């Protein structure tokens, strides 16, 4: 089904056991919308087989969602948008992408539920064969801002010139306080993720792109990043 040039206000898809699938959104706008579930660490709320082109999204969020076989080509965001506790398989972001952050499970959840979601994410990604599958493909994305620490880096297809693969086991001998600021922030992100690798993005459309790039190149020179 193709949906073109429509505006969605306050739409919500809430709860596990639901699926949004087989839809193409073209030049649509979403205001105050959410896709969320807070009690199923098996990620039974699914967005699958979706194509999105030139979307505008304002004050919207996703929480605990499984995104599979999704392609986003152009995404205008009014502010930093959180994908909280979500998991991804064969999701492609390309073109101009607004400020986006993939974060750990919702801190409003109880500790037991958060731990269950963390364990569920680890199981989900352990099933992926990195030789044939990926979580995210961001190699052709031009970000305004991106923080993707809650996605395992070895499952991210990336542009090696501006998107750096960091490894947890390589930071033990590095003096973080001696690093440039953005390199320190990137290394510290390992405290908030269960994964042993992640991708740090120097966003091409950010005013501090050059500073970010230089900081991550420092990590590459130290062997922490590749």
């Amino acid at each position: 089904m193709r949906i073109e040039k429509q505006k969605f206000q306050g739409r919500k898809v809430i709860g596990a056991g639901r699926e949004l699938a087989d839809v193409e959104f073209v030049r649509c706008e979403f205001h105050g919308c959410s896709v969320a579930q807070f009690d199923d660490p098996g990620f039974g709320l699914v967005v699958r087989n979706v194509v999105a082109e030139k979307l505008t999204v304002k004050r919207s969020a996703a929480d605990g969602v499984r995104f599979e076989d999704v392609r986003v080509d152009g995404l205008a965001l009014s502010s930093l948008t959180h994908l909280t506790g979500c998991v991804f398989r064969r999701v492609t972001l390309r073109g101009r992408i607004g400020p986006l952050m993939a974060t750990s499970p919702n801190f409003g959840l109880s500790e037991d539920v958060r731990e269950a979601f963390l364990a569920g994410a680890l199981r989900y990604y352990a099933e992926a064969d990195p030789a044939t599958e990926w979580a995210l493909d961001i190699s052709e994305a031009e970000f305004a801002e991106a923080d993707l620490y809650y996605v395992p880096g070895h499952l991210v297809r990336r542009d090696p010139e501006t998107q750096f693969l960091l490894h947890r086991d390589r930071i033990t001998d590095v003096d973080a306080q001696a690093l440039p600021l953005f390199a320190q922030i990137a290394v510290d992100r390992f405290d908030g993720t269960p994964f042993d690798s992640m991708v740090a993005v120097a966003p091409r459309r950010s005013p501090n792109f050059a500073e970010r790039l230089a900081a991550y190149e420092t990590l590459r020179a130290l062997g922490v990043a590749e």
Side-chain angles (χ1 to χ4, degrees), residues 93 136-141 143 148 156-158 163 199 201:
L93 305 176
L136 292 177
D137 184 340
I138 59 171
S139 59
E140 298 181 57
F143 289 102
L148 306 174
V156 177
R157 295 184 173 184
R158 61 194 174 90
Q163 299 164 355
V199 169
V201 177

Side-chain angles (χ1 to χ4, degrees), residues 141-168:
E142 298 179 15
F143 289 102
E145 179 59 69
D147 194 338
L148 306 174
Y149 71 90
Y150 198 66
V151 183
H154 71 285
L155 293 176
V156 177
R157 295 184 173 184
R158 61 194 174 90
D159 167 23
E161 292 186 4
T162 62
Q163 299 164 355
F164 297 72
L165 179 62
L166 277 61
H167 300 271
R168 186 191 299 273

Side-chain angles (χ1 to χ4, degrees), residues 97-116:
I97 305 293
L100 197 64
M101 191 171 188
T103 69
S104 59
N106 196 302
F107 282 98
L109 300 174
S110 70
E111 183 176 351
D112 288 349
V113 174
R114 273 182 53 83
E115 289 298 325

